[in-house]
Amino acid sequence: MNVRLRWDNPPLLSPVGTLWRYRRGLSHFLETPSTLDGARDRVGRALAARGPALADLLEQAVFRVPSSPYLPLFRAAGVDAAAARAAIERHGPEGALQAFFDAGVRVSIGQFKGRQPLGGVDPAPEAFDNPLRNEHLPGMTSGSSGPRRRLLIDLGMVAHDADCYEGFCDAFGIAGRRMAVWRPVPPDNSGLKKVLIRARSRRPVERWFSQQPLRRTGADAKYWAFTAFTRRACRRRGYAFPAPEHVPLDRADVVAHWLADAAEAGAPAHLDTLVGAAVRVCLAARAAGRSISGTFFRVGSEPLTAERARVIHEAGCRVGVHYSTSETGPIAMGCGDGEGDDDLHLLTSKIALVADRGRSRERPALYATTLLPSSPKLLVNVELGDAAAVRQRACACTLGRWGFHTHLQYVRSYEKLTGDGVTFLGCDLVRLLDEILPRALGGAPGDYQMQEGDEGGVPAVSLVISPRVGVVDETRVGALVLEHLASRDAGHQLMAAIWRQGRTLRIVRADPVATTSGKVPPIGRIDTHAR
């Protein structure tokens, strides 16, 4: 069951057939609860069918699709559908994908995002849409505040993620807890997915705190209408669906008080949020003199560093992390028997990875391939922009018993800059750092760099400016950076707004960090937690 929903107009004003198809898909999604036993069985079947699933996916979605961006890569490698299937049968999904990778079948993150040419052609992001759809509704956002973008809800993928989430909750013993979400409202779909997953499991989300307001007017009206329609549909079927409440990053105390009330009532809660937002909640509780001890944080969207984990543990709380992308949903979920807070189970039921050690870094770069026909995007050896320690390990937690034996640890980005859950690609930053800032402030390319970091566990992104550049007005510089980052489209406007809200951007006067070859990359880090 796959449902993709896109539209030009608010859904409540869309044609009756459009609404009926979405409502039918949502009803089917909610009719099949994600019980632990059912989830284990469905995940087990997906794990057992990985090889045939990949072979079928390549045959139907690549080799039979003349417009597929992957087809020229396979042709150049001398691989057709029969050869691909034979390689998968002989070497397994990972072995075959490694062979394809070595033969040139791979896509960089910039190419996948449509910002760098692929085979001499500039692919549109839509070129990587998965064509295997039982039900899909074509449409686009209005583009009133930026380039038109697809709005995609894939209930088939959400159903699979709900099954994996059952295993995660059982592994950490949190299945029966009260729960809240502190995630943005649409067009960001992370919060909506969390609420739908809980509705499918028959365990409601009590509160949905959102960093952004859900507006009924203007360009956001379509998102309000979609959320309101989904909420009413769930409530009519008897599944609780909370109304989103606007709680900006600088009001973490609101969330902290809700968690403290639950803890004081003897029923510590489960909060799903960003890593940095979890840290802010812990600090807000401490400042208010309230205890949230016993709270469980399910976090993601940015690295769980040792410093951030320390703040959470000092508040008497536990933490489990997910690793996700917007195109794939969860890639890995936290291990309940982990060798550290950031020990993750790769969800090999839906994703296969090639770990590329060809770059000069301590941990290999990750290239992902989707295995399920319900994946909204089709990935075949697509660079994620992240590196991680990858190893095989048997463990005693629920996800390990289900058969997820590939572990990731210390996932860090080398092509993306992340702070407070907001991510910008390195290619988005090059013009800012090499052209705009030198022209406005002086200096030259190599005098500016962006760096991720922490300040007391709270995410911070630093614009590092070399001392070679003269005196600068830091307020003007910060405004210039955020104005540039917001200029690409509506999505980037939203991300820049979150950075303003969280005061995420800092200005630092220091020499940018260079590689061993002397190159100054747009994103630099001083890695103090490597292992």
Side-chain angles (χ1 to χ4, degrees):
M1 181 273 297
N2 306 314
V3 177
R4 171 183 283 184
L5 181 62
R6 300 172 180 155
W7 52 67
D8 287 305
N9 300 309
L12 296 183
L13 303 178
S14 298
V16 173
T18 296
L19 279 178
W20 180 81
R21 292 180 68 184
Y22 175 61
R23 182 173 59 195
R24 182 183 64 179
L26 184 61
S27 296
H28 184 69
F29 172 84
L30 294 170
E31 283 171 359
T32 307
S34 281
T35 63
L36 187 63
D37 289 342
R40 180 193 60 224
D41 293 343
R42 287 186 291 270
V43 167
R45 289 194 295 271
L47 286 170
R50 294 178 78 241
L54 175 58
D56 291 344
L57 192 64
L58 293 179
E59 180 174 350
Q60 298 171 30
V62 175
F63 294 109
R64 293 183 184 177
V65 180
S67 61
S68 170
Y70 301 108
L71 191 55
L73 302 179
F74 276 102
R75 286 174 174 166
V79 178
D80 61 12
R85 186 176 294 274
I88 294 167
E89 291 174 353
R90 185 179 310 115
H91 303 294
E94 282 74 18
L97 289 167
Q98 181 68 63
F100 301 155
F101 181 94
D102 294 340
V105 181
R106 55 182 180 267
V107 176
S108 74
I109 187 173
Q111 292 168 330
F112 182 71
K113 297 289 186 178
R115 297 173 188 175
Q116 295 173 353
L118 175 61
V121 178
D122 291 328
E126 294 80 13
F128 297 95
D129 284 353
N130 188 347
L132 301 184
R133 291 288 156 188
N134 294 324
E135 300 177 69
H136 64 279
L137 306 175
M140 304 288 284
T141 59
S142 66
S144 59
S145 58
R148 305 183 77 202
R149 297 184 296 114
R150 293 179 182 272
L151 179 62
L152 177 63
I153 296 295
D154 186 327
L155 294 177
M157 181 58 70
V158 178
H160 183 82
D161 295 341
D163 286 341
C164 295
Y165 187 66
E166 283 295 311
F168 172 83
C169 289
D170 190 68
F172 284 91
I174 57 170
R177 289 195 177 203
R178 301 172 61 186
M179 183 183 177
V181 169
W182 193 14
R183 294 272 186 174
V185 293
D188 184 303
N189 62 19
S190 60
L192 182 66
K193 285 183 178 180
K194 303 302 185 300
V195 178
L196 285 174
I197 283 173
R198 292 288 289 194
R200 184 175 168 90
S201 69
R202 308 297 194 263
R203 291 188 289 270
V205 172
E206 292 189 24
R207 304 283 291 275
W208 180 0
F209 307 110
S210 170
Q211 291 86 344
Q212 293 297 114
L214 187 61
R215 299 184 177 91
R216 299 189 181 201
T217 59
D220 292 335
K222 63 178 70 65
Y223 305 122
W224 172 85
F226 168 61
T227 305
F229 174 80
T230 305
R231 181 171 181 250
R232 284 200 298 272
C234 288
R235 291 170 69 89
R236 279 197 300 268
R237 295 182 62 87
Y239 307 124
F241 194 115
E245 308 167 45
H246 180 211
V247 178
L249 282 176
D250 57 5
R251 290 303 314 274
D253 59 298
V254 174
V255 185
H257 284 302
W258 185 82
L259 292 175
D261 289 344
E264 290 171 3
H270 168 195
L271 179 69
D272 186 296
T273 190
L274 314 174
V275 173
V279 171
R280 293 172 188 269
V281 168
C282 293
L283 296 175
R286 181 195 304 171
R290 302 203 65 186
S291 172
I292 59 172
S293 181
T295 296
F296 182 86
F297 289 98
R298 204 297 287 173
V299 298
S301 300
E302 51 199 335
L304 179 64
T305 63
E307 177 66 13
R308 295 170 187 176
R310 179 190 63 79
V311 174
I312 293 172
H313 290 310
E314 286 182 351
C317 304
R318 292 191 299 146
V319 62
V321 66
H322 283 194
Y323 169 42
S324 304
T325 72
S326 58
E327 293 82 10
T328 64
I331 291 174
M333 293 185 178
C335 177
D337 185 31
E339 297 181 350
D341 290 311
D342 61 348
D343 192 346
L344 297 152
H345 285 280
L346 177 66
L347 301 181
T348 45
S349 54
K350 62 183 285 192
I351 293 287
L353 287 184
V354 167
D356 175 31
R357 300 185 180 274
R359 301 192 182 216
S360 56
R361 61 173 61 88
E362 182 174 355
R363 290 172 294 278
L366 304 179
Y367 285 73
T369 298
T370 50
L371 302 179
L372 300 181
S374 58
S375 299
K377 294 287 185 179
L378 179 65
L379 279 64
V380 181
N381 284 342
V382 171
E383 181 183 27
L384 295 175
D386 297 316
V390 185
R391 67 191 183 103
Q392 300 297 314
R393 182 175 73 85
C395 76
C397 88
T398 306
L399 293 176
R401 295 196 305 271
W402 283 9
F404 293 119
H405 300 314
T406 301
H407 288 249
L408 305 181
Q409 201 163 7
Y410 199 75
V411 179
R412 296 292 184 272
S413 175
Y414 59 85
E415 290 285 353
K416 298 175 288 186
L417 182 73
T418 303
D420 279 318
V422 170
T423 298
F424 293 98
L425 294 183
C427 54
D428 287 334
L429 304 174
V430 171
R431 183 167 176 264
L432 170 69
L433 301 174
D434 286 0
E435 298 179 26
I436 293 176
L437 291 178
R439 187 185 309 131
L441 307 176
D447 287 337
Y448 300 88
Q449 186 180 64
M450 304 292 280
Q451 294 183 1
E452 290 180 19
D454 293 317
E455 288 192 4
V458 176
V461 174
S462 298
L463 170 62
V464 177
I465 304 177
S466 169
R468 290 186 295 273
V469 180
V471 176
V472 299
D473 181 340
E474 294 190 1
T475 301
R476 179 194 170 207
V477 173
L480 182 63
V481 170
L482 292 174
E483 179 182 348
H484 171 77
L485 295 177
S487 65
R488 180 176 290 275
D489 55 38
H492 284 72
Q493 291 173 15
L494 172 62
M495 296 190 295
I498 290 176
W499 273 12
R500 288 192 187 94
Q501 183 187 109
R503 300 181 180 88
T504 306
L505 184 65
R506 313 285 197 274
I507 308 299
V508 174
R509 301 306 303 269
D511 287 321
V513 176
T515 65
T516 54
S517 64
K519 177 184 177 182
V520 177
I523 301 171
R525 294 176 182 82
I526 300 176
D527 200 346
T528 59
H529 303 291
R531 51 188 159 190

